[in-house]
């Protein structure tokens, strides 16, 4: 068998660490994910389903639909604009796990098959997002700095957390495709220190990035994941990735869900590089439900988690 490294490794001797054997991933796909930390599956999601999700997003932007618990996020460059409204200002909706229309993406059988091959049969949906990049205003705030998703999650082990991210339209370098550093999920040290980058025109709330990434020479290792509508990338929670600004006059939308094996455990992030984020999230939650409320970072994630397949365990 020809491996991704270009050497012959008999399948009986290949030691897979990050994937399971099932009917979805071929051996070559498993080896690619093991080495690179991601894999792109072409044309996985039907276009009519993506069109339905797009319309749902537009209805939310217009205020025609109110979904309990959903967070609507707006680009900082358009917050005070009188001329840009709705779809032109909302850059993300998240926490749609209790909206059956949007959550249907998270449990699509073809998505579940691939997710199961990476984290196992008991699958919890832990974070849901529909990401919109409107045409950039010139401030470059539609960028997302390089980051690792594990930074946001008080869950371990990292190897049993994966994201499925589907292009809702053609995604190119011009409109802000994903960028990634292959193999960064297996780097020594693994989870790097994150914070807000010091960008001239500001950074959107929650858009943390790896600090001093330029010093580390990370830009030289980037690959650009241009995708067609319906293509889906699955990536490891420690993969370093981000996205560029949208320099076109159209939109760039994607729908995604992060999954964790139901056997994962919550961890205490106090005293770690994740503690500042935990404090920020707890403060935001208090603003929503009352400043006197006792809120724990882990409990916030417990509320977000919803069973996608199999049996509930620790989460």
């Amino acid at each position: 068998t020809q491996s991704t490294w270009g050497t012959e490794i008999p399948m009986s001797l290949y030691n897979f660490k990050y994937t399971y054997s099932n009917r979805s991933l071929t051996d070559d796909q498993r080896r690619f994910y093991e080495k690179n930390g991601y894999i792109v599956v072409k044309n996985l999601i039907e276009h009519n389903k993506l069109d339905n999700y797009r319309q749902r997003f537009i209805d939310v932007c217009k205020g025609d639909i109110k979904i309990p618990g959903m967070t609507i996020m707006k680009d900082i460059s358009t917050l005070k604009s009188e001329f840009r409204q709705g779809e032109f200002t909302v850059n993300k909706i998240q926490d749609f796990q209790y909206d059956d229309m949007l959550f249907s993406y998270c449990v699509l059988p073809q998505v579940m098959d691939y997710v199961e091959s990476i984290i196992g049969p008991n699958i919890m949906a832990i974070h849901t997002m529909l990401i919109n990049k409107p045409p950039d205003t010139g401030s470059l705030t539609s960028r997302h700095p390089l980051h690792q998703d594990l930074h946001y999650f008080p869950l371990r082990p990292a190897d049993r957390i994966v994201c499925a991210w589907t292009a809702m339209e053609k995604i190119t370098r011009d409109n802000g495709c994903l960028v990634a550093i292959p193999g960064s999920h297996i780097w020594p040290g693994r989870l790097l220190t994150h914070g807000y980058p010091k960008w001239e025109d500001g950074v959107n709330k929650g858009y943390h990035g790896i600090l001093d990434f330029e010093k580390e020479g990370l830009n030289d290792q980037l690959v650009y994941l241009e995708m067609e509508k319906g293509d889906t990338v699955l990536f490891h929670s420690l993969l370093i990735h981000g996205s560029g600004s949208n320099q076109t006059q159209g939109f760039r939308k994607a729908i995604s869900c992060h999954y964790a094996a139901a056997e994962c455990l919550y961890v205490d992030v106090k005293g770690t590089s994740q503690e500042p984020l935990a404090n920020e999230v707890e403060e935001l939650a208090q603003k929503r439900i009352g400043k006197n409320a006792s809120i724990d970072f882990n409990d916030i994630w417990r509320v977000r988690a919803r069973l996608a397949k199999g049996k509930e365990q620790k989460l």
Side-chain angles (χ1 to χ4, degrees):
T1 302
Q2 188 72 21
S3 78
T4 310
W5 288 267
T7 58
E8 293 288 336
I9 301 176
M11 285 307 301
S12 60
L13 299 180
Y14 198 95
N15 182 25
F16 290 106
K17 180 179 179 181
Y18 303 110
T19 59
Y20 294 96
S21 176
N22 77 355
R23 67 181 182 274
S24 293
L25 286 180
T26 66
D27 291 335
D28 284 341
Q29 287 176 319
R30 292 181 70 189
R31 281 191 294 269
F32 188 93
Y33 183 89
E34 298 266 333
K35 180 185 178 184
N36 295 288
Y38 71 91
I39 187 168
V40 177
V41 182
K42 304 295 290 182
N43 199 30
L44 185 65
I45 309 300
E46 299 93 330
H47 289 192
N48 67 313
K49 286 185 170 62
L50 298 175
D51 293 340
N52 290 337
Y53 304 147
R54 176 197 299 273
Q55 186 58 53
R56 192 71 162 176
F57 173 80
I58 292 172
D59 290 343
V60 169
C61 291
K62 291 163 56 179
D64 293 343
I65 295 174
K66 307 288 185 183
I67 299 173
M70 177 182 286
T71 301
I72 300 174
M73 302 177 69
K74 296 185 178 181
D75 191 284
I76 57 170
S77 69
T78 62
L79 285 178
K80 298 179 181 179
S81 173
E82 297 179 5
F83 306 103
R84 294 169 68 96
Q85 300 293 327
E87 193 179 8
F88 283 90
T89 64
V90 176
N91 62 8
K92 185 189 297 184
I93 59 174
Q94 63 183 29
D95 306 324
F96 57 70
Q97 65 271 24
Y98 296 114
D99 178 63
D100 289 340
M101 160 64 82
L102 291 174
F103 190 75
S104 67
Y105 164 80
C106 304
V107 295
L108 289 172
Q110 63 267 45
V111 175
M112 289 289 90
D113 285 346
Y114 280 98
V115 171
E116 182 175 349
S117 68
I118 296 171
I119 66 174
N122 299 315
I123 302 169
M124 299 294 291
I126 59 170
H127 192 215
T128 52
M129 295 186 293
L130 196 156
I131 308 150
N132 177 49
K133 275 187 191 287
D136 196 88
T137 61
S139 64
L140 299 180
T141 52
S142 62
R143 293 175 292 172
H144 199 304
L146 291 175
H147 64 284
Q148 297 165 295
D149 288 342
L150 187 67
H151 170 68
Y152 294 95
F153 304 136
L155 299 168
R156 301 295 187 275
D159 298 336
R160 293 295 167 251
I161 303 171
V162 69
C163 179
W165 191 102
T166 298
M168 295 177 64
E169 51 216 330
K170 185 178 178 66
I171 292 179
T172 67
R173 291 180 67 167
D174 289 337
N175 65 10
C177 69
L178 288 180
V179 297
I181 299 181
S184 51
H185 66 304
I186 56 176
W187 283 3
R190 309 202 80 191
L191 182 59
L192 303 177
T193 302
H194 291 60
Y196 283 108
K198 297 177 181 178
W199 288 348
E200 183 177 349
D201 291 308
V203 186
N204 284 310
K205 195 71 174 173
Y207 279 35
H208 289 204
I210 296 168
L211 300 179
D212 297 326
F213 72 90
E214 290 179 349
K215 242 183 237 186
E216 302 295 332
L218 300 185
N219 280 337
D220 298 334
Q221 304 175 52
L222 293 175
V223 297
Y224 294 83
L225 303 182
E226 295 187 306
M227 300 165 66
E228 299 290 336
K229 182 176 180 178
D231 292 353
T232 300
V233 59
L234 296 106
F235 55 90
H236 191 284
S237 66
L238 284 167
L239 182 76
I240 295 174
H241 65 287
S243 62
S245 61
N246 181 3
Q247 296 299 312
T248 72
Q249 294 306 305
F251 296 92
R252 193 231 71 178
K253 291 185 179 61
I255 188 168
S256 73
C257 182
H258 286 85
Y259 303 91
E263 295 83 2
C264 283
L265 298 174
Y266 289 97
V267 297
D268 187 354
V269 300
K270 290 180 181 177
T272 74
S273 64
Q274 293 178 264
E275 184 175 6
L277 169 78
N279 294 337
E280 180 181 339
V281 171
E282 289 173 358
E283 289 172 7
L284 287 172
Q286 284 180 326
K287 288 180 180 179
R288 294 181 70 172
I289 65 175
K291 63 180 181 179
N292 295 322
S294 177
I295 300 171
D296 178 76
F297 184 52
N298 290 7
D299 287 339
I300 292 170
W301 286 106
R302 287 188 178 94
V303 170
R304 285 172 166 166
R306 179 176 174 183
L307 183 68
K309 185 177 181 180
K311 298 179 180 179
E312 290 192 46
Q313 306 281 334
K314 305 294 184 181
L315 300 188

